[in-house]
Amino acid sequence: MSDLPACPQCQSAFTYQDGALLVCPECAHEWDPAAAAPEAEEQRVWRDANGNELQNGDSVTVIKDLKIKGSSSVVKVGTKVKNIRLIDGDHDIDCKIDGIGAMQLKSEFVRKA
């Protein structure tokens, strides 16, 4: 029994080595085993303005007046935001602010409460 990995496309167990590549005889897929080794997924770490790690459900405080795009409203310094949700992207905090509604914030403008 060979100790070669199964084909990543069709999951066939009948793979064989051809030089530096592995080949699947059933679907003819060729791949490099060194490049195909699954690397440990790095978990993104979100940090506030002071460097504290943020988690989903945390409460944060706004540290700077933030103008709301498309409106004359402003999120004032010291506004407390509860139950944040962390997302990928430029604005990495999804939240709901009382009196304003749902919006996204950048983690660099908040600190953990």
Side-chain angles (χ1 to χ4, degrees):
M1 192 86 197
S2 78
D3 58 352
L4 296 175
C7 176
Q9 280 193 336
C10 69
Q11 305 305 320
S12 171
F14 303 113
T15 58
Y16 64 91
Q17 191 163 6
D18 185 23
L21 298 176
L22 293 177
V23 181
C24 175
E26 293 184 11
C27 69
H29 178 66
E30 296 180 354
W31 73 98
D32 183 10
E39 297 178 17
E41 289 187 28
E42 292 184 28
Q43 294 292 335
R44 180 169 175 205
V45 177
W46 288 269
R47 298 200 180 273
D48 67 0
N50 294 335
N52 298 322
E53 187 174 333
L54 296 172
Q55 300 289 328
N56 284 325
D58 282 347
S59 294
V60 295
T61 305
V62 177
I63 62 167
K64 176 182 175 185
D65 281 346
L66 301 173
K67 295 179 184 177
I68 300 174
K69 192 173 190 177
S71 173
S72 62
S73 301
V74 175
V75 178
K76 296 284 189 178
V77 171
T79 302
K80 188 169 184 178
V81 181
K82 300 177 184 175
N83 199 19
I84 64 170
R85 190 169 63 97
L86 301 171
I87 56 175
D88 287 326
D90 186 34
H91 291 73
D92 45 9
I93 297 175
D94 195 18
C95 61
K96 190 180 286 187
I97 299 176
D98 293 336
I100 295 175
M103 65 183 311
Q104 294 180 346
L105 302 171
K106 290 185 177 184
S107 60
E108 62 194 72
F109 298 124
V110 298
R111 74 167 181 248
K112 197 169 185 176

